[in-house]
Every structure is written in C-alpha cells, then in structure tokens.
Amino acid sequence: MIVKHLTRRQILGPIGIAAGSCVLSSCLSESASSPLDKKPGFPWPYDKLDPQITAERAYNDHRKGHCMYGAFVSVISQLAERYGEPYSSFPVGMMRYGAGGAAGSGSLCGALNGSAALIGLFVKKEEDMKLLIDELFLWYEQTELPTYIPERPALDAKIPTSVSNSILCHISVTKWCKMSGNKTFSKQQKERCARLSADTAAKTVELLNAHFAGEFSAAHEFDDEVKTCRSCHTKGSDRSDSRGKMHCRICHSSLAVDHP
Ligand code: HEC
Ligand code: HEC
C-alpha cells in the first residue's frame, strides 16, 4: 500500500477541505462530539523511505530541536519534500517538548516518543500500531546503541555503545554515562543521543516500510521474566495491580523475601 503521487485533494478528501475551512469556534459549537474525531484523511499516507537517509537527517535535525524533534522531522520532512501538504503544514516545532524524556523529566526517550508518534500517524489499525511500537521499544531496550556513524559528526569521536534495558531517558542516559565514564549534559552525551536518535529513526522507517509492504514480523520478544511478572500482576491476572511492559527488575531489583 505504498502511495505514489498524492495530491492535496487525495490526501485531505473533499470533506477535509470543507472542514479545514471552518473557523475553529464555529466547528466546536456544531456538535457535542469533537470535529477532530471525524476528520478524514487519517491516518496520513506513508511512502517508502530510505533508512540511511532518514538516519542522517535525524542526526542533523537533532541539533535544531533535540531527540523527539530529530526523529519525527527526519521522516515528515522527506514526505513534505515529495508531496507538500499535509506534511509541510505539520507544526513540527511542538516536538521539542519531548527532549530529555519530556521537558527534561527523564521519562520516555524522546527519540522513541517521536517515532511512536509517526507510527500513530501512519498506521490505521490500533493492533498493528501497538505491534510496531512494541517491536521498536524492545529493539531499543535490547540493542547495543548507538551504532550510527554520521557523515559530518558534530563531535568526531568514538562513541561507546550500551544496552539500556529501558525505554526511559533517565535510565538509558545514566547507564550510558556510567558505562562510558562521561557526564550527563556533556558534549559526548549529546553526541550519543543524536546518534541514538538517528538509529531510532532509521529503525522506525524500516518497520514502517515492512508494515506497508505486508512484510512485518516481530524480531524481538518480551523477556520471559516480564511475561512471568505480568502473569500475576497485570490486567486479567489475580492481583491486577500494575500495568506496563517495561523490564520489571530494572526498578524492582529486590522483592520481599516471601514474595511468591
Ligand atoms: C505467582 C504470582 C506472582 C508472580 C509470578 C510475581 N508476583 Fe509479585 N506478588 C505476587 C503476590 C501474591 C504479591 C503480594 C505479596 C504480599 O502481599 O505479601 C506480590 C507482590 C509484589 C510486589 C509488592 C511487594 C514486594 O515484594 O515488593 C511487587 C513490587 C511485585 N510483586 C513485583 C513482582 C515482579 C517484578 C515480578 C516478576 C519478577 C513478580 N512480582 C512476579 C504474586 C506474584
Ligand atoms: C521505572 C521503574 C519501574 C518499572 C520498570 C516497573 N515498576 Fe512496578 N513500581 C515502580 C514504583 C516506583 C512503584 C510504586 C512503589 C510503591 O509505591 O511502593 C511500583 C509498584 C508496583 C507494584 C505494586 C507494589 C505494591 O506495593 O503493591 C507492582 C505489583 C509492580 N510495580 C509490578 C511491576 C511489574 C510486574 C513490572 C514489569 C512489567 C514493573 N512493576 C515495572 C517502579 C517500576
């Protein structure tokens, strides 16, 4: 389902143009349900992209707006160059919020957040969207990163790799700093995160290319331990007192001695 040549009309559809022309206040007063719920033209069409070119762009865009911005803009900018609207109107500046795990909070890695947003934008079925995001997050948790070597590096140095075991910015960054002997907020850490954003954007494009070619299959699996913990603690289990798919032991390193 790869889209070749799209016009603005094909993307937005006739109703999209009508809806786009109404003033926000009058749209809101028309019905109780949000007009956004029915907006046609979702998901936006995706077109096959080159992972290597995407990586280089994410690396360079990282400098303009950090990790989430870099990962997101690397993809949307290529589609904007090919097709113009609606891609060229996306308010990409909003993606700066994701830096440092959302405004520096250290929660979800911004490169993952921007990439998951892309998957959410292009993939129609919720089930498929979740499968792709699961695969991206597991790849990130389990892979030695970063591996991307920029053509024109901002910092021309060998950047060590580490396995984060976590999708959280705080854990991912601090583990890398501890392992490599660098400080957070150093030039080295910034370079590491720029390269990691490049890797993540390239992976996302690989997954989207595979999905739209009907060739996606998951290459990473949840840890057995996560499956075991979830069997007693998550939705539908005996205790149903937690939710999530992250590595449990990274935070729950010690459990009560009498824990089952
Ligand atoms: C066989 C079912 C079972 C499995 C598997 C299981 N738990 Fe539990 N867990 C329990 C029960 C039952 C309690 C409540 C124990 C109590 O109240 O004394 C509990 C309590 C806890 C608690 C709160 C008390 C404490 O020990 O800190 C945490 C946290 C926890 N589990 C995390 C985990 C993690 C992480 C895993 C996987 C490594 C896991 N559990 C696997 C059944 C299970
Ligand atoms: C990023 C850190 C982190 C991760 C990853 C994590 N947890 Fe937790 N979990 C916490 C914190 C913090 C609490 C709250 C502890 C408290 O209030 O005592 C908690 C609470 C819990 C509780 C309730 C404990 C109680 O005292 O009743 C359970 C059960 C639990 N987690 C299971 C899991 C399981 C299962 C996983 C993996 C799928 C997991 N957690 C992953 C940090 C984490």
Side-chain angles (χ1 to χ4, degrees), residues 224-233 238-239 241-242 247-260:
D224 284 342
E225 191 173 73
V226 173
K227 289 187 205 153
T228 313
C229 305
R230 281 169 53 89
S231 71
C232 290
H233 284 294
D238 274 4
R239 297 186 57 85
D241 54 356
S242 83
H247 261 274
C248 313
R249 285 283 189 181
I250 208 149
C251 297
H252 297 289
S253 50
S254 64
L255 293 171
V257 275
D258 57 349
H259 180 274

Side-chain angles (χ1 to χ4, degrees), residues 19 22-24 26-40:
C22 74
V23 182
L24 188 60
S26 69
C27 290
L28 289 175
S29 59
E30 269 167 20
S31 70
S33 74
S34 163
L36 296 177
D37 292 342
K38 299 194 182 70
K39 201 167 160 56

Side-chain angles (χ1 to χ4, degrees), residues 107-121:
S107 65
L108 180 60
C109 163
L112 288 178
N113 203 353
S115 298
L118 288 167
I119 294 171
L121 184 61

